[in-house]
């Protein structure tokens, strides 16, 4: 691959933020190169659900506007963000997000291969002031990876633990429900049989699944769009330094083909390297459970070691401070694989009826059907002072055979291998299970019976599972009267060890609404931009809804591209240009 010595823009990182910035800059007449440390492109985006939270997006046609978008209720979004972000709420950033999020989505869908589909996701706290029951989240449309041609081999593969034989699933409930129901529904059985047959044929020919969904589809769509524009995506090209020229950031020093290369950037550099979830020193300082000696096991790519943030700090930028949460918490289990365990993010099972989660004392501590971030925060709190942050996800035999649990698939897939390798624990009775997991038997038995007493009526008196639209959305709509609640009473019983992980970090370089990195005095550093997890989250350490990472990443990547091209005015002056 030929890499020039000078471009208008250098992008550091090839996830949603970096590729959106690259495409926007290129579409506005600038020359662009993308430098990626890993041997594959796609970043954390390729592991994700591919959902973007964009209030006023053009796919929610409740109140369409003249541009094909939605006349977003700005006051409601401000109310919701004020409620979620608390004292980190920033009205100017919310306004910028509302201005540019829908424009970004229209631009990308009109001008590139990127395509989203409507989502039925409610906000994670839909009953909060300004919360929405539907319409703010959109999901990346499925994609045929073969459209990437020879570049398909450089696309980051999806997280192994959330595939079945390498087959990807849509983030929506609709895709997975067929796999949950295939032994009970002829329609679902036919759907699953067709998916499996096609997938096996693709494995034989291409060595991997080609029917891409979720974040893998989004990463492929973005990469195809960039490559079609002639944008070079250079992998195995870690950036070690920023270059300065005439008082501004004017390029980078990267290692390409083992050689030190200086690459000049006439307009500027965009840092979009994915945050610091793999930076052990930084997470020890910022993650409360790690400070206490607890385990953290993240599913994000190994290359997310905070390189972009460190580059920005050395150029005079600074990390945002004082967030109530330093990451998007994700309860995970550790799946044994040859060569070491891999994280399984618990995105689906907890919401289904018949599961409960208990802390190390054997007591329930949270509504298990809350968002992963809220459950993770509750895990940290209930384990505070214990020196470990862990929980147990528990189900009975009927539940586990119907829905599976973690990496364990539903009937007819066998349970034995997971029990033998220690991933799954089993007991004939609740008391027996308690002894297997090191919990007081009588405490756990009493806790389960307390839960069961109301669960038999479809209620959860302790934590109110099924009381919100979000709880119910990810439950089992066919289970009555409550899609999230069923008793745990048909032995044998099973438990899965849960530890803390994350989906990415929230603190990042402080920027303005044009994605320019600010110095300690609040002045933009000329030529330096940041987006995605390298920039401070506009959510203020909160997790309001599905896609609050990808939505801002793409929006402010788009803003950075416009700003570099001189196509954006200062929001503080109340002006904007697409």
């Amino acid at each position: 691959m030929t890499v020039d010595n000078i471009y208008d823009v250098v992008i550091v990182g090839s996830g949603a933020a970096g590729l959106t910035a690259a495409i926007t800059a290129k579409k506005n007449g600038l020359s662009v190169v993308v430098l990626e440390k890993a041997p594959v492109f796609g970043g954390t985006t390729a592991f994700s659900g591919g959902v973007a939270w964009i209030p006023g997006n053009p796919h929610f046609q409740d109140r369409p506007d003249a541009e094909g978008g939605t006349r977003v209720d700005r006051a409601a979004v401000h109310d919701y963000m004020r409620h979620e972000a608390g004292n980190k709420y920033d009205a100017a950033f919310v306004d910028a997000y509302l201005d540019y999020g829908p424009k970004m989505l229209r631009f990308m869908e009109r001008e590139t291969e990127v395509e989203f589909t409507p989502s039925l996701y409610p906000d994670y706290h839909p009953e909060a002031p300004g919360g929405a029951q539907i319409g703010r989240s959109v999901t990346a449309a499925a994609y045929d990876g073969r459209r990437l041609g020879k570049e398909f081999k450089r696309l980051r593969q999806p997280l192994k633990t959330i595939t079945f034989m390498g087959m990807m699933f849509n983030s929506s409930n609709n895709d997975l429900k067929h796999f949950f129901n295939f032994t009970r529904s002829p329609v679902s059985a036919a759907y699953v049989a067709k998916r499996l047959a096609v997938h096996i044929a693709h494995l034989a020919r291409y060595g991997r699944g080609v029917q891409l969904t979720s974040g893998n589809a989004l990463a492929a769509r973005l990469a195809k769009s960039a490559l079609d524009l002639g944008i070079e995506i250079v992998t195995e090209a870690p950036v070690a330094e920023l270059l300065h020229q005439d008082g501004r950031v004017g390029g980078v020093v990267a290692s390409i083909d083992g050689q030190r290369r200086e690459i000049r950037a006439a307009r500027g550099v965009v840092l979009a390297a994915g945050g610091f979830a793999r930076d052990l020193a930084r997470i020890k300082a910022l993650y409360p459970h790690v400070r206490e000696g607890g385990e953290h096991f993240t599913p994000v790519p190994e290359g997310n070691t905070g390189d972009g943030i460190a580059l920005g700090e050395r150029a005079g930028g600074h990390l945002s401070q004082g967030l109530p949460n330093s990451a998007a918490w994700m309860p995970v289990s550790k799946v044994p694989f040859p060569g070491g365990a891999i994280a399984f993010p618990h995105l689906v099972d907890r919401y289904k009826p018949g599961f409960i989660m208990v802390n190390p004392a054997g007591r329930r501590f949270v509504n298990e059907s809350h968002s992963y971030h809220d459950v993770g925060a509750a895990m940290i709190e209930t384990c505070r002072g214990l020196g470990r942050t862990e929980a147990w996800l528990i189900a009975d035999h009927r539940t586990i055979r119907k829905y599976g649990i973690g990496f364990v698939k539903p009937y007819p897939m066998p349970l034995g291998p997971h029990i033998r390798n220690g991933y799954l624990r089993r007991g004939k009775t609740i008391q027996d299970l308690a002894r297997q997991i090191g919990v007081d038997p009588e405490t756990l038995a009493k806790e389960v019976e307390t839960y069961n007493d109301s669960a038999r009526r479809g209620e959860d008196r302790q934590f109110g599972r099924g009381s919100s639209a979000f709880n119910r959305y990810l439950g089992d709509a066919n289970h009555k009267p409550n899609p999230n609640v069923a008793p745990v009473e048909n032995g044998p019983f099973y438990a899965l060890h849960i530890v803390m992980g994350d989906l990415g970090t929230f603190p990042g370089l402080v920027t303005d609404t044009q994605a320019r990195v600010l110095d300690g005095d609040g002045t933009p550093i000329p030529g330096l931009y940041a987006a995605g997890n390298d920039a401070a989250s506009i959510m203020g350490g909160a997790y309001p809804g599905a896609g609050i990472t990808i939505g801002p990443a793409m929006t402010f990547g788009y803003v950075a591209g416009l700003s570099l091209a001189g196509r954006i005015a200062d929001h503080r002056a109340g002006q904007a240009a697409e």
Side-chain angles (χ1 to χ4, degrees):
M1 178 174 291
T2 302
V3 181
D4 294 335
N5 293 325
I6 184 167
Y7 295 83
D8 291 319
V9 179
V10 173
I11 310 286
V12 183
S14 65
L19 291 179
T20 302
I23 291 164
T24 306
K26 183 71 172 184
K27 282 282 190 176
N28 280 277
L30 304 183
S31 59
V32 183
V33 66
V34 176
L35 303 179
E36 167 59 54
K37 177 170 70 172
V40 289
F41 52 71
T44 309
T45 301
F47 278 176
S48 74
V51 180
W53 192 75
I54 307 286
N57 69 76
H59 291 281
F60 182 51
Q61 295 298 323
D62 181 53
R63 294 185 300 156
D65 64 19
E67 296 181 78
T70 303
R71 290 196 299 273
V72 62
D73 186 340
R74 298 178 75 98
V77 177
H78 274 279
D79 286 345
Y80 189 54
M81 290 291 289
R82 189 180 295 109
H83 174 272
E84 295 292 294
N87 63 6
K88 294 297 180 179
Y89 161 75
D90 188 316
F93 264 100
V94 175
D95 277 332
Y97 193 44
L98 292 174
D99 286 344
Y100 285 101
K103 290 180 179 179
M104 176 276 296
L105 211 59
R106 287 196 294 272
F107 167 78
M108 296 298 286
E109 293 194 312
R110 183 180 67 242
E111 301 288 338
T112 78
E113 294 261 334
V114 172
E115 181 182 343
F116 285 89
T117 60
S119 168
L120 299 179
Y121 269 112
D123 286 343
Y124 284 174
H125 308 122
E127 286 75 30
Q133 300 287 332
I134 190 174
R136 290 175 178 166
S137 298
V138 292
T139 302
Y143 196 64
D144 188 332
R146 291 171 294 187
R147 289 180 58 81
L148 279 166
K150 66 179 183 180
E151 297 290 0
F152 186 35
K153 65 180 181 295
R154 287 204 298 154
L155 173 68
R156 183 184 295 279
Q157 297 206 29
L159 190 64
K160 184 185 298 187
T161 54
I162 60 173
T163 69
F164 178 62
M165 297 170 54
M167 180 167 57
M168 287 166 265
F169 301 96
N170 282 319
S171 300
S172 71
N173 235 7
N174 294 329
D175 193 37
L176 285 174
K177 75 177 183 180
H178 289 296
F179 285 81
F180 285 136
N181 293 327
F182 84 102
T183 61
R184 296 178 295 276
S185 163
V187 172
S188 291
Y191 179 92
V192 171
K194 182 177 179 181
R195 284 282 315 264
L196 283 172
V198 171
H199 177 67
I200 290 170
H202 289 158
L203 283 179
R205 182 170 182 181
Y206 301 103
R208 64 179 290 185
V210 303
Q211 292 182 314
L212 311 182
T213 65
S214 305
N216 217 245
L218 177 57
R221 287 178 174 277
L222 285 163
K224 181 65 161 62
S225 302
L227 293 165
D228 284 352
L229 288 169
I231 297 171
E232 295 166 288
I233 303 176
V234 188
T235 47
E236 297 185 279
V239 174
E241 300 174 37
L242 294 177
L243 296 173
H244 298 264
Q245 184 174 5
D246 300 326
R248 63 188 305 279
V249 173
V252 304
V253 176
S255 176
I256 298 175
D257 294 329
Q259 301 295 315
R260 183 183 186 275
R261 289 286 303 275
E262 291 190 1
I263 303 173
R264 298 289 171 177
R267 295 291 184 97
V269 174
V270 180
L271 302 174
F276 59 84
R278 294 279 188 168
D279 181 342
L280 298 181
R282 213 183 284 265
I283 69 171
K284 186 173 183 178
L286 292 172
Y287 290 9
H289 56 291
V290 178
R291 284 200 304 270
E292 292 188 1
E295 183 175 11
H296 191 82
F297 196 70
T298 181
V300 307
E302 293 183 0
N304 291 14
T305 53
D307 299 10
I309 291 171
L311 290 169
E313 287 175 323
R314 291 199 292 271
H318 59 106
L319 196 72
S320 56
Q321 303 291 325
L323 299 182
N325 295 283
S326 293
W329 305 127
M330 169 58 72
V332 302
S333 53
K334 299 172 69 174
V335 184
F337 275 96
I342 300 177
F344 179 93
H346 285 264
L347 294 160
V348 176
D349 49 10
R350 297 176 293 100
Y351 301 92
K352 299 296 187 279
F355 290 95
I356 62 170
M357 189 177 286
V358 300
N359 63 18
R363 302 185 189 281
R364 288 182 71 210
F365 60 95
V366 70
N367 177 337
E368 295 89 348
S369 299
H370 278 341
S371 75
Y372 38 82
H373 178 71
D374 289 348
V375 171
M379 275 180 64
I380 292 172
E381 185 58 35
T382 195
C383 294
R384 195 175 296 276
L386 297 181
R388 65 191 194 278
T389 300
E390 62 183 15
W392 294 94
L393 187 61
I394 292 173
D396 64 13
H397 190 74
R398 178 177 58 189
T399 297
I400 200 172
R401 298 317 276 149
K402 184 175 183 179
Y403 303 112
I405 183 172
F407 190 63
V408 180
K409 303 300 185 286
Y411 176 84
M413 300 304 292
L415 300 177
H418 304 290
I419 294 170
R420 287 192 292 272
N421 69 16
Y423 179 65
L424 187 64
R425 310 290 180 88
R426 179 170 62 187
K428 291 182 179 180
T429 66
I430 287 292
Q431 290 88 342
D432 184 29
L433 182 68
R435 286 185 281 269
Q436 295 281 333
I437 64 177
V439 168
D440 178 67
E442 296 311 312
T443 298
L444 183 60
K446 184 177 179 180
E447 197 74 7
V448 171
E449 186 49 44
T450 298
Y451 167 77
N452 284 347
D453 184 54
S454 59
R456 293 184 184 102
R457 298 187 296 276
E459 300 172 358
D460 175 16
R461 286 200 303 263
Q462 289 173 288
F463 295 100
R465 284 176 74 183
S467 59
S468 79
F470 174 69
N471 281 186
R472 296 188 293 274
Y473 176 66
L474 289 173
D476 182 350
N478 295 319
H479 182 84
K480 307 297 181 181
N482 188 328
N484 304 105
V485 174
V488 181
E489 58 185 357
N490 296 294
F493 300 92
Y494 302 86
L496 202 60
H497 188 225
I498 306 296
V499 297
M500 184 57 60
D502 66 75
L503 294 182
T505 47
F506 285 153
L509 296 167
V510 176
T511 63
D512 64 9
T513 57
Q514 293 190 44
R516 299 178 297 190
V517 177
L518 303 180
D519 65 17
D521 295 326
T523 302
I525 298 171
L528 189 59
Y529 297 75
N533 287 348
D534 278 358
S537 169
I538 71 166
M539 303 297 165
Y543 210 110
I548 61 89
T549 301
I550 287 178
M554 294 185 69
T555 297
F556 288 100
Y558 170 73
V559 166
L562 291 178
S563 186
L564 283 156
R567 301 266 344 261
I568 189 170
D570 195 325
H571 262 275
R572 288 171 296 185
Q575 300 170 324
E578 186 173 1

